[in-house]
Amino acid sequence: MMRIPTPQLGRRHVVTGLAALASATALPGVAALAEARLITTPRQALGPFYPVEWSGDIDNDLVVVKGEAAQAMGQVTHVMGRVLDVSGAPIAGARIEIWQCDANGRYRHPADRNGQRDVAFQGRGHTLTGSDGRYSFRTIRPVPYPGRTPHIHFAVVAPARPRLVTQMYVAGETGNARDGLLQSISDPRQRDAVIVKLEPADRLEPRALAGTFDIVMG
């Protein structure tokens, strides 16, 4: 009986075949990993009215100022969320600062002389994230002022990470489409991530609003 010789594969063919097999099996894993990564929160300008002093009452309740009998004007709004890395893991011990204008459209800043300032509004505050990355603030619904749609400024300082400065916007505001800083975010996914829906939150406080703003640090 004639013996049919078995084809011998050269080293080049073997290496090429193994590489193709590895590539084919690795690609789904890489795709899944990429899919699992969260969209990072975009960086935005610090702005001209970053607080010049952080002394006195600077807690996470901006509606009540110690020593003032009145409560701040405006609709009470609870802003809460988590600080995460791109894999979705919580970042504990991050310091979050927020600042915004009062119901009259004026910041607690010596350079802002636009109208009468509401002295019962704290204007800025800070808090630390817990072990689960969560934070919360009690503030007022942001209002527009000339040239800007309603927004709240955020600055986040986390261990071993560069400082992140961004802004939170309110869903449904007509001024969003005309706001230069919001529209400067070129990635629509990042733009959507900083626009937050505020909904009635009577379960937390009568006539209050609440919104969730998760912050993802790269």
Short mmCIF file of all heavy atoms in Angstrom, two decimals, residues 86-117:
data_model
loop_
_atom_site.label_atom_id
_atom_site.label_comp_id
_atom_site.label_asym_id
_atom_site.label_seq_id
_atom_site.Cartn_x
_atom_site.Cartn_y
_atom_site.Cartn_z
N VAL A 86 -12.90 54.75 35.79
CA VAL A 86 -13.49 54.31 34.52
C VAL A 86 -13.96 52.86 34.54
O VAL A 86 -14.77 52.45 33.70
CB VAL A 86 -12.49 54.52 33.36
CG1 VAL A 86 -12.27 55.99 33.09
CG2 VAL A 86 -11.17 53.81 33.63
N SER A 87 -13.49 52.08 35.50
CA SER A 87 -13.95 50.69 35.61
C SER A 87 -15.23 50.57 36.42
O SER A 87 -15.81 49.49 36.51
CB SER A 87 -12.86 49.82 36.25
OG SER A 87 -12.72 50.13 37.63
N GLY A 88 -15.67 51.70 37.02
CA GLY A 88 -16.87 51.67 37.84
C GLY A 88 -16.60 51.49 39.31
O GLY A 88 -17.54 51.45 40.11
N ALA A 89 -15.34 51.42 39.71
CA ALA A 89 -14.99 51.26 41.13
C ALA A 89 -15.15 52.60 41.85
O ALA A 89 -14.77 53.65 41.31
CB ALA A 89 -13.57 50.75 41.27
N PRO A 90 -15.70 52.59 43.06
CA PRO A 90 -15.88 53.84 43.80
C PRO A 90 -14.55 54.43 44.25
O PRO A 90 -13.59 53.69 44.55
CB PRO A 90 -16.73 53.42 45.00
CG PRO A 90 -16.44 51.97 45.19
CD PRO A 90 -16.21 51.42 43.81
N ILE A 91 -14.48 55.74 44.30
CA ILE A 91 -13.30 56.45 44.79
C ILE A 91 -13.64 57.05 46.15
O ILE A 91 -14.46 57.98 46.23
CB ILE A 91 -12.83 57.54 43.81
CG1 ILE A 91 -12.46 56.90 42.47
CG2 ILE A 91 -11.66 58.32 44.39
CD1 ILE A 91 -12.05 57.90 41.41
N ALA A 92 -13.07 56.51 47.19
CA ALA A 92 -13.35 56.97 48.55
C ALA A 92 -12.42 58.13 48.93
O ALA A 92 -11.32 58.26 48.41
CB ALA A 92 -13.17 55.82 49.53
N GLY A 93 -12.90 58.98 49.83
CA GLY A 93 -12.07 60.05 50.36
C GLY A 93 -11.79 61.18 49.39
O GLY A 93 -10.87 61.95 49.60
N ALA A 94 -12.59 61.31 48.34
CA ALA A 94 -12.42 62.42 47.41
C ALA A 94 -13.10 63.66 47.97
O ALA A 94 -14.22 63.59 48.49
CB ALA A 94 -13.00 62.08 46.05
N ARG A 95 -12.44 64.80 47.88
CA ARG A 95 -13.04 66.06 48.32
C ARG A 95 -13.77 66.68 47.13
O ARG A 95 -13.19 66.87 46.05
CB ARG A 95 -11.97 67.03 48.82
CG ARG A 95 -12.51 68.43 49.18
CD ARG A 95 -11.38 69.39 49.52
NE ARG A 95 -11.83 70.78 49.55
CZ ARG A 95 -12.11 71.47 50.65
NH1 ARG A 95 -12.00 70.89 51.82
NH2 ARG A 95 -12.49 72.73 50.58
N ILE A 96 -15.05 66.96 47.32
CA ILE A 96 -15.85 67.58 46.27
C ILE A 96 -16.22 68.98 46.72
O ILE A 96 -16.79 69.17 47.80
CB ILE A 96 -17.13 66.78 45.97
CG1 ILE A 96 -16.79 65.33 45.63
CG2 ILE A 96 -17.91 67.42 44.84
CD1 ILE A 96 -18.01 64.50 45.32
N GLU A 97 -15.91 69.96 45.90
CA GLU A 97 -16.32 71.34 46.13
C GLU A 97 -17.37 71.73 45.10
O GLU A 97 -17.26 71.35 43.93
CB GLU A 97 -15.12 72.29 45.99
CG GLU A 97 -13.98 72.01 46.94
CD GLU A 97 -12.76 72.86 46.63
OE1 GLU A 97 -12.72 73.51 45.56
OE2 GLU A 97 -11.83 72.87 47.46
N ILE A 98 -18.38 72.48 45.52
CA ILE A 98 -19.32 73.06 44.55
C ILE A 98 -19.46 74.55 44.84
O ILE A 98 -19.26 75.00 45.97
CB ILE A 98 -20.70 72.37 44.57
CG1 ILE A 98 -21.46 72.67 45.87
CG2 ILE A 98 -20.59 70.89 44.33
CD1 ILE A 98 -22.94 72.27 45.82
N TRP A 99 -19.78 75.31 43.82
CA TRP A 99 -20.10 76.73 43.97
C TRP A 99 -21.05 77.12 42.85
O TRP A 99 -21.01 76.55 41.75
CB TRP A 99 -18.86 77.60 44.02
CG TRP A 99 -18.01 77.63 42.78
CD1 TRP A 99 -17.95 78.61 41.82
CD2 TRP A 99 -17.04 76.64 42.37
NE1 TRP A 99 -17.04 78.29 40.84
CE2 TRP A 99 -16.45 77.09 41.15
CE3 TRP A 99 -16.61 75.42 42.90
CZ2 TRP A 99 -15.48 76.37 40.47
CZ3 TRP A 99 -15.65 74.70 42.22
CH2 TRP A 99 -15.10 75.17 41.02
N GLN A 100 -21.92 78.07 43.13
CA GLN A 100 -22.92 78.49 42.15
C GLN A 100 -23.46 79.86 42.55
O GLN A 100 -23.24 80.33 43.67
CB GLN A 100 -24.05 77.47 42.08
CG GLN A 100 -24.90 77.40 43.35
CD GLN A 100 -25.98 76.34 43.29
OE1 GLN A 100 -25.79 75.24 43.82
NE2 GLN A 100 -27.12 76.66 42.69
N CYS A 101 -24.17 80.48 41.62
CA CYS A 101 -24.79 81.77 41.93
C CYS A 101 -26.03 81.55 42.78
O CYS A 101 -26.59 80.44 42.81
CB CYS A 101 -25.11 82.54 40.66
SG CYS A 101 -26.41 81.81 39.65
N ASP A 102 -26.49 82.60 43.46
CA ASP A 102 -27.71 82.51 44.25
C ASP A 102 -28.93 82.71 43.37
O ASP A 102 -28.82 82.79 42.13
CB ASP A 102 -27.67 83.51 45.41
CG ASP A 102 -27.56 84.96 44.95
OD1 ASP A 102 -27.95 85.27 43.81
OD2 ASP A 102 -27.07 85.80 45.72
N ALA A 103 -30.11 82.79 43.99
CA ALA A 103 -31.35 82.93 43.23
C ALA A 103 -31.43 84.25 42.48
O ALA A 103 -32.25 84.39 41.56
CB ALA A 103 -32.55 82.78 44.17
N ASN A 104 -30.59 85.21 42.84
CA ASN A 104 -30.52 86.50 42.14
C ASN A 104 -29.51 86.50 41.00
O ASN A 104 -29.33 87.51 40.33
CB ASN A 104 -30.17 87.63 43.12
CG ASN A 104 -31.23 87.83 44.18
OD1 ASN A 104 -32.42 87.69 43.91
ND2 ASN A 104 -30.80 88.13 45.41
N GLY A 105 -28.83 85.36 40.81
CA GLY A 105 -27.82 85.27 39.76
C GLY A 105 -26.47 85.81 40.14
O GLY A 105 -25.63 86.09 39.28
N ARG A 106 -26.21 85.94 41.45
CA ARG A 106 -24.94 86.51 41.90
C ARG A 106 -24.13 85.49 42.70
O ARG A 106 -24.66 84.77 43.54
CB ARG A 106 -25.18 87.74 42.76
CG ARG A 106 -23.90 88.41 43.23
CD ARG A 106 -24.14 89.72 43.91
NE ARG A 106 -22.91 90.27 44.46
CZ ARG A 106 -22.83 91.44 45.09
NH1 ARG A 106 -23.93 92.18 45.24
NH2 ARG A 106 -21.69 91.87 45.57
N TYR A 107 -22.84 85.46 42.41
CA TYR A 107 -21.92 84.58 43.13
C TYR A 107 -21.45 85.23 44.43
O TYR A 107 -21.41 86.46 44.55
CB TYR A 107 -20.68 84.27 42.28
CG TYR A 107 -20.93 83.26 41.18
CD1 TYR A 107 -21.35 83.68 39.91
CD2 TYR A 107 -20.74 81.90 41.39
CE1 TYR A 107 -21.56 82.76 38.89
CE2 TYR A 107 -20.94 80.98 40.37
CZ TYR A 107 -21.36 81.41 39.13
OH TYR A 107 -21.57 80.51 38.13
N ARG A 108 -21.04 84.38 45.35
CA ARG A 108 -20.41 84.87 46.58
C ARG A 108 -18.93 85.11 46.25
O ARG A 108 -18.05 84.30 46.56
CB ARG A 108 -20.57 83.83 47.69
CG ARG A 108 -20.02 84.29 49.03
CD ARG A 108 -20.16 83.20 50.08
NE ARG A 108 -19.59 83.61 51.35
CZ ARG A 108 -20.24 83.62 52.51
NH1 ARG A 108 -21.50 83.21 52.56
NH2 ARG A 108 -19.65 83.99 53.62
N HIS A 109 -18.68 86.21 45.60
CA HIS A 109 -17.33 86.54 45.14
C HIS A 109 -17.21 88.05 45.03
O HIS A 109 -18.13 88.70 44.50
CB HIS A 109 -17.07 85.87 43.78
CG HIS A 109 -15.64 85.89 43.36
ND1 HIS A 109 -15.02 87.02 42.84
CD2 HIS A 109 -14.69 84.91 43.37
CE1 HIS A 109 -13.78 86.73 42.55
NE2 HIS A 109 -13.54 85.46 42.86
N PRO A 110 -16.11 88.64 45.49
CA PRO A 110 -15.99 90.11 45.46
C PRO A 110 -16.02 90.71 44.06
O PRO A 110 -16.36 91.88 43.90
CB PRO A 110 -14.64 90.36 46.15
CG PRO A 110 -13.90 89.06 46.07
CD PRO A 110 -14.94 88.00 46.12
N ALA A 111 -15.68 89.93 43.04
CA ALA A 111 -15.67 90.46 41.68
C ALA A 111 -17.06 90.46 41.04
O ALA A 111 -17.24 91.08 39.98
CB ALA A 111 -14.70 89.66 40.81
N ASP A 112 -18.02 89.77 41.65
CA ASP A 112 -19.37 89.73 41.09
C ASP A 112 -20.23 90.78 41.79
O ASP A 112 -20.59 90.62 42.96
CB ASP A 112 -19.98 88.34 41.25
CG ASP A 112 -21.30 88.19 40.48
OD1 ASP A 112 -21.74 89.19 39.88
OD2 ASP A 112 -21.87 87.10 40.49
N ARG A 113 -20.58 91.82 41.08
CA ARG A 113 -21.41 92.90 41.63
C ARG A 113 -22.74 92.99 40.90
O ARG A 113 -23.35 94.05 40.81
CB ARG A 113 -20.65 94.22 41.57
CG ARG A 113 -19.31 94.16 42.31
CD ARG A 113 -18.61 95.51 42.32
NE ARG A 113 -17.33 95.44 42.99
CZ ARG A 113 -17.16 95.49 44.32
NH1 ARG A 113 -18.23 95.60 45.10
NH2 ARG A 113 -15.97 95.42 44.85
N ASN A 114 -23.19 91.86 40.37
CA ASN A 114 -24.42 91.81 39.61
C ASN A 114 -25.62 91.68 40.54
O ASN A 114 -26.06 90.59 40.89
CB ASN A 114 -24.39 90.63 38.62
CG ASN A 114 -25.68 90.47 37.85
OD1 ASN A 114 -26.30 91.46 37.48
ND2 ASN A 114 -26.09 89.23 37.63
N GLY A 115 -26.17 92.82 40.99
CA GLY A 115 -27.36 92.81 41.84
C GLY A 115 -27.05 92.53 43.31
O GLY A 115 -25.89 92.46 43.72
N GLN A 116 -28.11 92.35 44.07
CA GLN A 116 -28.00 92.14 45.52
C GLN A 116 -27.76 90.67 45.82
O GLN A 116 -28.48 89.80 45.33
CB GLN A 116 -29.29 92.60 46.21
CG GLN A 116 -29.29 92.47 47.72
CD GLN A 116 -28.32 93.43 48.39
OE1 GLN A 116 -28.10 94.54 47.89
NE2 GLN A 116 -27.72 93.00 49.49
N ARG A 117 -26.75 90.38 46.63
CA ARG A 117 -26.46 89.00 46.96
C ARG A 117 -27.35 88.51 48.08
O ARG A 117 -27.65 89.25 49.02
CB ARG A 117 -24.98 88.84 47.37
CG ARG A 117 -24.58 87.38 47.64
CD ARG A 117 -23.08 87.25 47.84
NE ARG A 117 -22.64 87.77 49.12
CZ ARG A 117 -22.70 87.07 50.28
NH1 ARG A 117 -23.21 85.85 50.28
NH2 ARG A 117 -22.26 87.61 51.38
#
